Amino acid sequence: MSALVTYTQEGDIGIVTIDNPPINASSQAVREQLLSAFEQLRNNADIKAIMLSCAGRTFMAGADIREFDLPEIPAPDPNDIHALIESMQVPVVAVMHGTVLGGGLELCLSCHYRVAQDSTQMGLPEVKLGVLPGSGGTQRLPRLVGFTKALGMIVSGQPISAAHALDIGLVDAIFNDDLHAQALAYCRNITDVDHANRVIGNLPLTLSDTDKANLEQQVNKLPTADKGGNATRAAAKCTELAGSLSLAEGLAYERQAFVACRDTDESKALRHAFFAEREAARIPNLPRDLPLRNIQSIGIVGAGTMGTGIAMSFANAGFPVVLQDLSAQTLTRANELIAKTYQGSVTKGRLTPQEAQHRTDLISTTEDDLQLSTCDLIVEAVFENFDIKKAIFKRLGEIAKPGAILASNTSSLDVNVLAECSGRVPDVLGMHFFSPANIMRLLEVVRCDHTAPEVLATVMRLAKRINKVAAVSGVCFGFIGNRMLEGYLREAEFLLLEGATPSFIDKALEDYGMAMGPCRMIDMAGVDVAAKVVLEQKKSGSLPDDDTYRVVVQRLFEEGRYGQKTSSGYYRYEGRTPVEDTAALELFARLAQEHGITQRTDISAQEVVERCLYPLIAEGYKILEEGIAYRSGDIDTVWLHGYGYPAFRGGPMFYASTIGPDRVVASMQAFAKHTGNAFGYWDIPSSLAKAGAN
Ligand code: 3HC
């Protein structure tokens, strides 16, 4: 095995270096070699201090998460390494850079000193994986920085900057220059002969009344254990116990709690989501060294809310953007939105005024589409009208420079047709951003039948540069996300016709974990927008021959109930607060009567969840059968990042695997019997039937 941990010496300073790319995860082999390195250094009388560093782009960013699937985490135990480091006869100095996370930060907490590059981020993000810091983080961090600060870091999982870490005493020094040289000098200057007093595990910790009040306040805000709050609650408990247990007792309790968390569905789901997100960025069967196109400048056609949000997404990552629109008034509104958004970030302290100005300056607006002709990537983001989009792609084919990538932000239309219109079929694909585009992280990248592989790969790489989570979809109506959404909304509307109220439906799905129920969601996105999608589908002939299909959204649209923006939709609004509206309920009852649907009072929350989610899951299976998505994890990634699907459920496909596809099949069969299946709504895709039979 190649050496993952090496030892060198510079004068009287020993240097232990971990080199396990890409993120120096603490795998079994790393732990074994680290333990052995420190054991060998134990009796080395030639050194006065030991530097513990990592090679590559980051200090250790955590335990190797892949090991969590093993029945037992293989020895050596990180706690044994930490105990050894704490007992070394010379001080050990952790030299941090990059992202020092989880087990990486815990390793540093066992060292006597911690120094960091000024750009370092550090934190204990374990709860985001449904576990808790399992090798001393909940016991040592509060002893070092105080209970309340530690609790905040542990329960939020959010990293902090080196400057903040210096402020709270988590690091002893930060360097902005040559880290190695400065850390070496720091080690040479250590005069502390009795470094045992720097062993964090020996520091006392007592919770003050304020600490206790903060704890209660924090815990009260956490979701319940069965709704994604298991790990955070357990982490808070461990941190609390640091105030009353000895280090050894605390570590033992923490370890037990860690193992219990690791084995929950919550953690399995979150770990699945972590790896699925990274896998989604990979296009199968492409050579790793495929040359990509060089993207330096971005053009955007259409300066509405979507186009402006997309422009800011690129400017935020440092790209110059030309934002083009035929209407001067729309461009003025775009400039106002850009100024307001960046000003808001300055007010909240997220950007300095200089950074905000720089980003604003990167976006130039114009009515003249010829200014797009120098751009490497042009994203069309006009409203969802096929004829207009076709005309734009024809024009882009004429004016774009050779080799430019042409993308459509359509949320549902046939991008193959747009590619044909451009006359540059291999250069065209879809880039479906979600609103608000500068905030939402999902990007559905739509692969047309003849998109050139390097065009697809270039856009996937670009997605990462602009901090988006990308997943590839083939061409079909609505792509992965909106296509699956259709069955979900269809059933929500049928349930309304059958007598469930919007608030009952929304609550059932929000209790399941959805960020927002379907009625609130459409009211927020706009009933008009949702109705137009249905009308486009009608035009394209892809709607079932059922006059009750999505009749609710269409009728709300006809009645001018556009949702939040008109203060009435599925609900009526008092400010932004949705209130059940008798007029809407009467409308649903009237529609039910018109369409011969009997209203009933026995609809349960469980029926709502299953009726809405199972068609969505079934559509996911169809999408896989048709090769629209490469992998089921890609589908989960789309739903987790674009539709508010609860991360602790791992996405709809993962959820189906946890409850069992047989249960989904049985339930769908029962609904088919109960509601009838004249239009094939409850047809079971063959792959789902097969999975259910296994
Ligand atoms: N274990 C195993 N693999 C990991 C990993 C980990 N902890 N962290 C990242 N990786 C892998 C990724 O899967 C990816 O692999 P791939 O190239 O094959 O897809 C590769 O490392 C690079 O990761 P990213 O694409 O995410 O690289 P970025 O530079 O964008 O981000 C990062 C780097 C910020 C470190 C990010 O990967 C991250 O947040 N990782 C998770 C960190 C974490 O949660 N640490 C705590 C782990 S739990 C723990 O330590 C328990 C302890 O308390 C006992």
Side-chain angles (χ1 to χ4, degrees):
M1 187 198 303
S2 63
L4 301 173
V5 178
T6 51
Y7 177 71
T8 51
Q9 208 169 308
E10 290 194 34
D12 54 2
I13 305 298
I15 303 167
V16 174
T17 307
I18 303 168
D19 188 2
N20 183 26
I23 59 107
N24 287 307
S26 169
S27 62
Q28 190 272 338
V30 165
R31 293 196 299 279
E32 199 168 74
Q33 295 181 31
L34 200 53
L35 188 69
S36 154
F38 277 98
E39 272 165 353
Q40 284 170 37
L41 283 171
R42 226 166 153 43
N43 300 314
N44 188 334
D46 299 340
I47 51 173
K48 134 172 210 230
I50 301 168
M51 254 171 69
L52 174 57
S53 304
C54 288
R57 68 193 212 212
T58 180
F59 194 90
M60 180 186 286
D64 187 337
I65 306 165
R66 288 189 178 86
E67 285 184 355
F68 293 5
D69 291 330
L70 302 172
E72 293 280 332
I73 297 198
D77 184 334
N79 281 335
D80 293 340
I81 303 172
H82 300 164
L84 176 60
I85 291 176
E86 283 184 330
S87 72
M88 294 300 284
Q89 80 280 22
V90 295
V92 182
V93 181
V95 182
M96 305 151 85
H97 74 292
T99 45
V100 186
L101 302 174
L105 185 58
E106 290 174 304
L107 177 62
C108 297
L109 290 169
S110 72
C111 297
H112 306 93
Y113 294 85
R114 283 153 298 283
V115 299
Q117 186 91 53
D118 55 358
S119 54
T120 312
Q121 296 277 313
M122 53 201 91
L124 293 172
E126 284 88 343
V127 292
K128 294 185 180 174
L129 295 168
V131 290
L132 49 83
S135 50
T138 65
Q139 303 303 298
R140 290 192 178 88
L141 189 63
R143 283 179 162 87
L144 181 65
V145 304
F147 176 78
T148 293
K149 288 184 191 113
L151 183 73
M153 283 179 71
I154 290 167
V155 166
S156 72
Q158 284 301 101
I160 61 169
S161 66
H164 186 179
L166 185 66
D167 260 2
I168 64 173
L170 174 52
V171 297
D172 302 293
I174 52 178
F175 304 129
N176 57 11
D177 212 354
D178 180 343
L179 179 65
H180 181 83
Q182 290 190 285
L184 206 57
Y186 185 90
C187 289
R188 292 201 169 112
N189 282 335
I190 292 175
T191 51
D192 206 352
V193 278
D194 185 13
H195 62 278
N197 64 14
R198 297 197 56 97
V199 171
I200 295 172
N202 293 341
L203 300 175
L205 176 72
T206 311
L207 270 56
S208 66
D209 288 345
T210 318
D211 287 334
K212 287 179 193 157
N214 281 336
L215 172 70
E216 196 182 327
Q217 207 183 20
Q218 287 261 15
V219 171
N220 284 342
K221 281 194 284 192
L222 297 175
T224 54
D226 61 337
K227 297 282 158 54
N230 179 62
T232 39
R233 284 174 177 272
K237 183 76 200 163
C238 288
T239 315
E240 178 187 4
L241 289 176
S244 55
L245 299 181
S246 69
L247 181 73
E249 290 166 338
L251 290 178
Y253 184 91
E254 181 196 65
R255 173 54 53 86
Q256 223 179 1
F258 171 84
V259 172
C261 285
R262 189 198 61 184
D263 295 339
T264 56
D265 281 347
E266 171 183 314
S267 178
K268 287 177 192 158
L270 291 166
R271 274 142 52 198
H272 159 77
F274 177 85
F275 286 116
E277 176 185 326
R278 280 146 186 89
E279 181 81 11
R282 282 199 201 99
I283 303 158
N285 305 322
L286 280 195
R288 271 187 176 261
D289 55 354
L290 183 74
L292 302 183
R293 295 200 187 169
N294 186 12
I295 306 292
Q296 302 281 2
S297 57
I298 311 296
I300 293 172
V301 184
T305 315
M306 207 59 205
T308 308
I310 297 171
M312 287 190 277
S313 288
F314 282 103
N316 291 346
F319 287 93
V321 181
V322 175
L323 180 57
Q324 185 268 339
D325 200 291
L326 293 177
S327 152
Q329 207 185 6
T330 305
L331 290 172
T332 305
R333 274 204 306 269
N335 279 322
E336 284 164 4
L337 178 59
I338 293 165
K340 190 171 153 215
T341 306
Y342 286 139
Q343 186 48 51
S345 301
V346 172
T347 310
K348 288 179 195 136
R350 293 193 186 133
L351 285 183
T352 63
Q354 294 76 9
E355 283 165 339
Q357 189 58 51
H358 176 62
R359 291 178 191 197
T360 309
D361 292 345
L362 282 170
I363 304 172
S364 59
T365 50
T366 179
E367 290 168 54
D368 177 10
D369 67 3
L370 282 177
Q371 288 198 29
L372 299 166
S373 61
T374 54
C375 296
D376 299 316
L377 164 71
I378 304 175
V379 184
E380 166 278 308
V382 302
F383 59 92
E384 213 61 353
N385 178 304
F386 211 11
D387 291 336
I388 294 176
K389 285 183 192 269
K390 285 186 209 166
I392 289 172
F393 271 80
K394 182 168 178 297
R395 174 74 176 152
L396 291 179
E398 290 158 8
I399 64 169
K401 72 179 191 186
I405 296 178
L406 309 179
S408 172
N409 176 53
T410 177
S411 58
S412 57
L413 300 172
D414 190 337
V415 194
N416 280 323
V417 173
L418 300 178
E420 288 291 342
C421 293
S422 75
R424 303 182 183 204
V425 170
D427 295 338
V428 176
L429 42 56
M431 287 177 80
H432 178 209
F433 289 83
F434 286 68
S435 184
N438 51 317
I439 298 195
M440 291 289 286
R441 288 202 66 209
L442 181 66
L443 178 66
E444 265 184 321
V445 177
V446 184
R447 151 183 56 91
C448 299
D449 293 351
H450 301 289
T451 303
E454 86 273 8
V455 167
L456 191 57
T458 301
V459 169
M460 293 305 278
R461 173 73 63 82
L462 188 64
K464 178 133 183 155
R465 280 179 68 192
I466 61 170
N467 196 28
K468 298 291 176 201
V469 174
V472 176
S473 169
V475 175
C476 62
F477 197 93
F479 315 128
I480 296 173
N482 283 346
R483 174 169 161 181
M484 288 168 72
L485 184 68
E486 198 52 44
Y488 174 81
L489 296 180
R490 176 194 82 211
E491 286 309 310
E493 288 203 6
F494 280 142
L495 284 161
L496 288 172
L497 295 177
E498 287 169 40
T501 62
S503 61
F504 185 78
I505 294 173
D506 283 350
K507 181 168 184 318
L509 287 155
E510 286 164 18
D511 283 350
Y512 167 82
M514 300 300 290
M516 203 180 269
C519 302
R520 281 211 300 138
M521 183 181 80
I522 300 186
D523 270 356
M524 199 184 75
V527 169
D528 50 337
V529 177
K532 279 178 194 160
V533 173
V534 176
L535 295 174
E536 277 298 330
Q537 261 183 303
K538 247 189 194 167
K539 255 202 247 164
S540 76
S542 63
L543 278 194
D545 186 21
D546 173 4
D547 61 359
T548 57
Y549 187 89
R550 306 289 314 274
V551 69
V552 173
V553 75
Q554 293 177 69
R555 187 62 74 84
L556 287 171
F557 175 52
E558 282 162 23
E559 301 210 350
R561 300 182 64 114
Y562 291 177
Q564 263 190 33
K565 59 183 131 182
T566 56
S567 295
S568 73
Y570 289 80
Y571 296 93
R572 75 184 164 78
Y573 285 82
E574 288 175 4
R576 287 185 149 198
T577 311
V579 180
E580 204 77 272
D581 186 6
T582 322
L585 298 182
E586 283 168 3
L587 171 67
F588 306 147
R590 261 198 326 274
L591 282 172
Q593 212 172 21
E594 279 170 29
H595 291 271
I597 294 170
T598 314
Q599 294 212 313
R600 58 199 175 96
T601 51
D602 62 348
I603 300 170
S604 67
Q606 188 182 344
E607 178 179 344
V608 171
V609 170
E610 296 189 3
R611 285 256 316 256
C612 293
L613 285 185
Y614 292 175
L616 181 160
I617 289 167
E619 201 64 39
Y621 274 88
K622 273 194 222 157
I623 280 173
L624 279 174
E625 282 173 16
E626 292 169 20
I628 295 292
Y630 294 132
R631 298 154 287 237
S632 67
D634 296 8
I635 296 176
D636 287 335
T637 298
V638 165
W639 273 81
L640 291 169
H641 292 281
Y643 295 85
Y645 201 91
F648 74 92
R649 307 254 190 213
M653 306 306 280
F654 184 83
Y655 175 66
S657 75
T658 57
I659 57 169
D662 54 331
R663 183 167 143 193
V664 178
V665 169
S667 232
M668 287 179 68
Q669 284 166 340
F671 291 137
K673 246 192 217 153
H674 172 71
T675 62
N677 194 26
F679 299 99
Y681 296 145
W682 298 106
D683 285 352
I684 294 163
S686 56
S687 57
L688 175 57
K690 204 166 142 200
N694 285 335

